[in-house]
Amino acid sequence: MGRVRPLHHAARRLLLLFPRPRAFSSSSSSAAATPSREPLHVCVVGSGPAGFYTADKMLKGHEGAQVDIIDRLPTPFGLVRSGVAPDHPETKVVLAYGAESDRSLGIPGEDLRGIHSAREFVWWYNGHPDMCNLAPDLQSTDSAVVLGQGNVALDVARILLRCRSELAATDIADYALDALRGSTIRKVYLVGRRGPVQAACTAKELREVLGLKNVHVFIKEADLVTLPADEEEIRNSRIKRRVYELLSKAAIAHKGNNNNGQKELHFVFFRRPTRFLPSEDDDGVAGKQVAVGTGEFEDLKCGLVLKSIGYKSLPVEGLPFDKYRGIVPNLKGRVLSSESENATVEPGLYVVGWLKRGPTGIVATNLHCAEETVAIILEDDKEGLFMGSSDSKKQGRRGLLEILEQKNIRFVPFDGWEKIDSKEKVAGELKNKPREKITTWNELLMAAN
């Protein structure tokens, strides 16, 4: 398989649709299993896992396929670079630009100082250029509340509590490491609306956060009591069973008070936030259980709140979008004109990843998602749906480059990313890290040039 060559431009989202574009494009050709009448030009918008999986499957599945990947950042890999915690290093037109916004709680005080989304915090410590100036206050409080109990919530809790010397050996942004070294946060509360059986994390992530050095874990035994519906969920799901077992064992192992001055991780179940106060005011069906209010309220004092209640995709002008579900309406990857029952298929337009199914699953989930979308593209190609008249024939990569030139758009080609990559790795070697990420737009563009 030929290598992927990205190009970068400055726009907020899709190439050619915004006045300040930033793109990342890859191009490649490959001999593959399925013969074809002529080359198939595919443009993938978004260079995260879903985008790269799609490019890979496309190149392997179509003889002579040519793929361009476009991104608004001068660096590829999406969540793998900016969304996965730094202490986890292992982990036609096709729309794959993912989810770059956040769900809202819709409660009073949500805009108070000290309240951030987990996505913003994750982007901050991973050196994303859009969040390098976030500067969360980690020195005015000893307590932080993380709303949510999924993998992202566990990630941010782990970063807040982990030994700083261990973080220093990762590719965490330097400014974030400095801030964490000066952090006064000693307690992190992971707050969820439902019970331990419904916790949305994986066993691997949970095991890691429960095993943090010098951290005392608090779990109320009363919260671990199960109902028949819970027990049915545990029987029917190996993941839920393993998560519940890990929480139960942790509750027993950490029984009692913290008498050693350790940092603290509190799992708080069956709680739903109703409002944020400024500092001066100092039973259901198995598998479908929802949280129901009891009429009881409590205050939880903290100086930092990170909302980990889900990512949200953003609409793009001219592109069909289901605002309720936060996805591009589609049928197995084929983009539909709307979310209505009478929707028609948009010819030559496909979707993959979070933009296709919503922000769910782990990084590897995008592999199966990409396989389905690519299979649909190959099916449509086999049916001759891309065979237009000679005068309406798309120009592919050549047409893309012509448009960039006509609009006088600066972009970062693949060798520009290679320069960024090389500079980050060299800087990282000096600090015994995998890389030292470049975290501002200006520095990234200077390094690329």
Side-chain angles (χ1 to χ4, degrees):
M1 185 177 92
R3 71 178 182 177
V4 174
R5 296 186 317 185
L7 61 87
H8 155 84
H9 81 68
R12 187 70 190 88
R13 281 215 152 278
L14 289 182
L15 179 65
L16 310 180
L17 293 182
F18 289 82
R20 287 188 317 104
R22 275 189 180 124
F24 170 98
S25 156
S26 83
S27 60
S28 181
S29 299
S30 171
T34 305
S36 176
R37 292 174 292 275
E38 60 181 53
L40 177 64
H41 298 277
V42 180
C43 182
V44 179
V45 181
S47 68
F52 267 97
Y53 282 139
T54 300
D56 178 62
K57 295 297 178 183
M58 196 71 246
L59 291 167
K60 290 177 178 176
H62 191 288
E63 183 184 66
Q66 294 186 334
V67 180
D68 295 277
I69 301 179
I70 297 171
D71 202 295
R72 72 181 185 88
L73 297 175
T75 56
F77 312 131
L79 277 178
V80 173
R81 178 179 170 97
S82 300
V84 176
D87 55 348
H88 280 188
E90 64 280 14
T91 298
K92 218 44 188 177
V93 173
V94 182
L95 304 171
Y97 63 76
E100 290 197 340
S101 187
D102 310 284
R103 292 178 182 173
S104 171
L105 286 165
I107 61 176
E110 197 168 356
D111 58 349
L112 288 173
R113 184 173 59 86
I115 299 174
H116 310 281
S117 73
R119 175 191 61 84
E120 292 171 333
F121 189 68
V122 169
W123 280 15
W124 171 73
Y125 65 62
N126 272 318
H128 192 294
D130 285 354
M131 286 296 152
C132 61
N133 295 319
L134 182 66
D137 185 359
L138 306 180
Q139 296 184 335
S140 299
T141 181
D142 69 345
S143 300
V145 168
V146 181
L147 298 176
Q149 294 175 335
N151 283 347
V152 175
L154 268 58
D155 277 349
V156 298
R158 193 177 63 252
I159 294 298
L160 286 170
L161 294 173
R162 188 154 200 165
C163 174
R164 306 313 182 215
S165 61
E166 293 177 355
L167 287 177
T170 72
D171 66 353
I172 189 171
D174 230 20
Y175 60 74
L177 182 60
D178 288 343
L180 288 165
R181 280 174 171 150
S183 171
T184 58
I185 292 175
R186 306 286 299 173
K187 303 175 185 179
V188 174
Y189 295 84
L190 282 165
V191 181
R193 293 180 298 119
R194 297 186 292 175
V197 175
Q198 293 80 34
C201 59
T202 60
K204 178 180 180 296
E205 294 283 341
L206 179 59
R207 188 182 300 109
E208 187 166 1
V209 78
L210 292 175
L212 287 174
K213 296 177 182 177
N214 299 315
V215 174
H216 191 91
V217 178
F218 289 85
I219 301 173
K220 294 181 180 179
E221 288 188 50
D223 286 345
L224 295 170
V225 175
T226 57
L227 299 174
D230 296 318
E231 292 165 7
E232 185 177 344
E233 286 190 55
I234 291 172
R235 285 194 300 270
N236 295 335
S237 170
R238 184 181 62 83
I239 294 176
K240 289 181 181 294
R241 181 168 62 252
R242 190 69 189 113
V243 166
Y244 180 76
E245 289 172 351
L246 287 170
L247 290 169
S248 299
K249 289 178 180 178
I252 296 172
H254 292 267
K255 205 168 185 177
N257 297 322
N258 177 13
N259 299 317
N260 300 318
Q262 296 175 308
K263 293 181 180 179
E264 298 179 3
L265 175 62
H266 296 253
F267 283 83
V268 183
F269 298 102
F270 306 111
R271 300 293 190 275
R272 178 177 63 85
T274 57
R275 60 174 175 165
F276 296 104
L277 300 174
S279 57
E280 55 263 30
D281 286 347
D282 278 358
D283 206 82
V285 178
K288 295 185 178 179
Q289 299 188 73
V290 296
V292 178
T294 63
E296 299 178 4
F297 298 86
E298 63 181 287
D299 290 343
L300 190 57
K301 293 184 179 181
C302 63
L304 177 69
V305 174
L306 300 173
K307 301 175 295 177
S308 184
I309 58 172
Y311 286 53
K312 182 177 70 174
S313 295
L314 295 173
V316 167
E317 183 181 351
L319 181 68
F321 193 76
D322 185 336
K323 293 182 180 178
Y324 178 75
R325 299 171 62 197
I327 63 170
V328 169
N330 70 93
L331 181 62
K332 292 186 176 180
R334 291 188 183 98
V335 173
L336 301 176
S337 59
S338 69
E339 62 272 23
S340 71
E341 293 182 359
N342 300 320
T344 57
V345 172
E346 295 282 348
L349 197 58
Y350 303 85
V351 67
V352 72
W354 283 3
L355 195 60
K356 171 184 173 183
R357 67 182 192 277
T360 61
I362 58 177
V363 170
T365 308
N366 291 292
L367 175 58
H368 305 293
C369 185
E371 287 175 340
E372 180 183 59
T373 295
V374 170
I376 290 295
I377 296 173
L378 296 177
E379 179 181 310
D380 288 352
D381 181 52
K382 187 177 180 180
E383 294 294 325
L385 299 185
F386 306 141
M387 298 287 290
S389 59
S390 57
D391 58 346
S392 66
K393 198 169 183 179
K394 299 292 191 296
Q395 296 301 309
R397 181 177 310 127
R398 185 175 63 188
L400 171 64
L401 293 174
E402 287 177 358
I403 292 174
L404 289 171
E405 184 175 354
Q406 290 169 7
K407 293 181 175 287
N408 195 28
I409 291 173
R410 292 174 55 211
F411 63 85
V412 174
F414 184 75
D415 61 358
W417 154 242
E418 288 182 316
K419 293 175 184 176
I420 293 172
D421 186 42
S422 175
K423 188 169 184 178
E424 289 184 341
K425 287 179 177 177
V426 169
E429 285 181 5
L430 299 176
K431 298 183 178 182
N432 200 28
K433 300 171 59 174
R435 68 172 64 237
E436 182 64 46
K437 288 179 182 172
I438 301 171
T439 60
T440 69
W441 281 108
N442 287 339
E443 290 175 325
L444 282 165
L445 294 176
M446 286 177 60
N449 294 323

